[in-house]
Amino acid sequence: MRFRYWILCAMVTACQAVEKTKVFPSDETVYIEVTKNKDTLTVCNYEKLAAETETLPLSNFVDTCFMVKLETRENTLMKSGKVMISNHFIGIIPYSQPRQPFKLYSRSGKYLRDIGSTGRGPGEYLNIHDAFLDEDRNCIYLVPWQGKELLRYTFDGERKEALKLDFDLCKSRLNVNHDTLSFFHLPLSPKAPLYNRFTLKGKVLDNLYAGRLALPPDFSHEVFSGNNTSQADFQLSVFGPNDNDTLYHIKNGQPVPVFTTNFQKTPTHNYRETRHHYIVEVLGTKKGLRKTWTTYIKDLILVDKQKLIAKKIKIAIDFYGGLPVSIGSNCSKGYFIQLVSATDLKIQLRKRLGDKNNMPSYRRDLLVNLDQNLREDDNHIVFFGKLK
């Protein structure tokens, strides 16, 4: 671990020397450091992990998994996108060129409407970085990549008055919890905001600046926040050499490190937290088409919070015949979400159907039917389920 805990503590609060170190269990894949304030940092020992990869069913993490084929229309096709789920709706920030507006679908995949429009006029936007579907208040929040306004619309697409902010958005992540709004921002200077939380009426509850957690000025960096537990969590993901490879919670208005990984040679990696696990995505790169490079998940590591054991895993959707998926960065706001193109899904279906391993006939029939009713030029398919 290149960034020792005592250095982390000195960066965010007064120095908290490590009181003692406990190692659990005997295989030492995970250990915990305890501070004088009784805060705990869970550390995964990457080099201690067994080389074998265990395949786990998705049902270990969600009670049920829904598969939704998004309605195919010319104005809805995209290369990829970021998906939001609510009780009755699916929202998508499309990743396409030229830029497309936010798309709203029913939970059955029926295209309903665009929300707002791209442009530079009132209520329009150029880039949306995050969004939140708030059915309780009939409000869709759209977070521009930069600016000082939080855009708001009804689910019918009517533009509401934008919420004026007294801080700058910067690749920010939004969460709405009851009557409060909270943002994590990409902090590119010590005086830049890192975290803000306030009521819908504008009362400020937390206002935290980056300080020594500031990143070098580069918009290739990211701030991630899973919002899968009751804790406000975040990770600063640095493009390039990364010493600050830690997952934090906000505690008493301050960032407290809660999880990290001890690498001998640190690769690019991301963290996610659920109620029962920490998840590490170790990323690699490979050559794609036309001399481009693509990122893929080289290792997926699951850390059990209670048993304090870590292992390399793969995930199969047992609800749909063992199709491969991942967990990690696609776990957000309490949901597992996987967006798959029709072309990629057909490749997965045919590979799975060609597998000689035993599969119940009803599962095979489901996959055969899905393959027959899916065209390569169809819109994307969304798999999702509520996290346990």
Side-chain angles (χ1 to χ4, degrees):
M1 185 171 56
R2 295 181 302 158
F3 210 82
R4 299 299 178 186
Y5 184 44
W6 63 270
I7 299 179
L8 282 168
C9 294
M11 288 178 63
V12 294
T13 58
C15 182
Q16 304 168 349
V18 173
E19 184 178 81
K20 56 183 177 180
T21 299
K22 299 180 180 179
V23 179
F24 302 97
S26 59
D27 64 8
E28 299 184 4
T29 60
V30 178
Y31 66 87
I32 285 184
E33 294 180 353
V34 183
T35 72
K36 288 183 177 180
N37 289 352
K38 297 185 177 180
D39 292 325
T40 59
L41 175 74
T42 302
V43 182
C44 172
N45 262 325
Y46 182 76
E47 309 304 330
K48 298 279 187 179
L49 295 175
E52 296 78 12
T53 299
E54 181 178 350
T55 298
L56 299 178
L58 183 63
S59 57
N60 282 13
F61 306 93
V62 300
D63 290 319
T64 189
C65 179
F66 300 93
M67 182 188 69
V68 175
K69 180 181 173 183
L70 301 177
E71 182 180 353
T72 302
R73 292 192 184 186
E74 186 176 354
N75 68 323
T76 63
L77 298 177
M78 58 187 170
K79 292 183 179 179
S80 184
K82 181 177 180 180
V83 182
M84 291 82 196
I85 303 291
S86 67
N87 289 335
H88 300 95
F89 299 96
I90 299 172
I92 299 184
I93 302 173
Y95 299 156
S96 299
Q97 292 293 339
R99 297 187 181 97
Q100 296 183 30
F102 187 89
K103 308 292 181 185
L104 186 68
Y105 296 83
S106 70
R107 280 276 289 253
S108 64
K110 178 179 175 56
Y111 169 71
L112 299 176
R113 60 189 59 87
D114 288 352
I115 300 298
S117 58
T118 57
R120 297 181 181 274
E124 295 180 333
Y125 47 82
L126 295 178
N127 288 292
I128 294 299
H129 194 67
D130 199 10
F132 194 96
L133 306 180
D134 187 356
E135 290 191 42
D136 292 339
R137 298 172 183 82
N138 187 26
C139 187
I140 298 176
Y141 299 93
L142 301 185
V143 184
W145 196 75
Q146 287 182 302
K148 289 195 139 193
E149 287 187 343
L150 177 61
L151 304 180
R152 300 187 293 181
Y153 301 82
T154 68
F155 281 84
D156 291 328
E158 179 184 350
R159 181 162 63 95
K160 304 173 74 170
E161 183 180 359
L163 185 63
K164 305 293 183 182
L165 306 173
D166 60 0
F167 49 82
D168 292 318
L169 296 170
C170 184
K171 303 185 76 172
S172 305
R173 308 289 181 176
L174 169 67
N175 191 43
V176 181
N177 185 17
H178 301 298
D179 62 344
T180 64
L181 295 172
S182 60
F183 287 95
F184 281 105
H185 313 280
L186 181 66
L188 300 182
S189 74
K191 295 183 179 179
L194 172 64
Y195 177 69
N196 303 92
R197 185 170 69 98
F198 50 93
T199 68
L200 293 173
K201 295 182 179 179
K203 181 181 178 181
V204 176
L205 302 174
D206 290 296
N207 197 14
L208 178 64
Y209 293 92
R212 295 186 182 180
L213 286 181
L215 302 179
D218 188 332
F219 286 108
S220 301
H221 307 321
E222 293 284 354
V223 57
F224 294 116
S225 179
N227 287 311
N228 296 314
T229 71
S230 60
Q231 301 292 327
D233 66 288
F234 74 98
Q235 176 204 0
L236 298 175
S237 181
V238 177
F239 181 77
N242 180 11
D243 286 334
N244 191 359
D245 58 351
T246 304
L247 182 74
Y248 296 87
H249 285 173
I250 298 295
K251 182 177 179 181
N252 298 322
Q254 294 296 322
V256 176
V258 295
F259 178 78
T260 193
T261 304
N262 189 349
F263 293 101
Q264 187 172 15
K265 184 177 180 181
T266 306
T268 302
H269 57 285
N270 296 323
Y271 296 138
R272 271 296 191 272
E273 179 180 10
T274 68
R275 288 176 57 198
H276 306 293
H277 301 97
Y278 295 113
I279 301 168
V280 186
E281 292 177 336
V282 180
L283 305 179
T285 57
K286 59 183 178 181
K287 283 188 177 181
L289 298 174
R290 299 175 184 174
K291 298 182 180 181
T292 60
W293 289 86
T294 59
T295 300
Y296 70 100
I297 298 176
K298 181 180 178 181
D299 285 320
L300 187 64
I301 302 165
L302 187 73
V303 180
D304 189 300
K305 289 183 179 180
Q306 185 175 13
K307 296 180 181 179
L308 295 176
I309 296 176
K311 55 188 174 183
K312 296 179 181 179
I313 64 167
K314 292 182 179 179
I315 303 295
I317 311 181
D318 45 326
F319 304 95
Y320 295 100
L323 290 172
V325 291
S326 183
I327 58 171
S329 56
N330 55 355
C331 294
S332 179
K333 298 178 173 67
Y335 281 91
F336 153 81
I337 303 169
Q338 183 93 13
L339 184 68
V340 185
S341 72
T343 301
D344 288 344
L345 182 55
K346 284 189 77 70
I347 292 172
Q348 293 175 12
L349 285 167
R350 291 170 183 176
K351 184 176 181 180
R352 185 71 184 102
L353 288 169
D355 195 334
K356 301 300 183 181
N357 293 332
N358 291 331
M359 184 190 307
S361 59
Y362 72 95
R363 295 289 194 199
R364 183 172 292 276
D365 291 344
L366 185 153
L367 297 188
V368 169
N369 183 66
L370 178 56
D371 183 41
Q372 291 176 345
N373 289 279
L374 187 65
R375 301 179 309 175
E376 291 186 355
D377 58 352
D378 279 341
N379 205 345
H380 283 59
I381 293 83
V382 182
F383 294 94
F384 66 89
K386 275 195 172 183
L387 294 170
K388 291 181 177 179

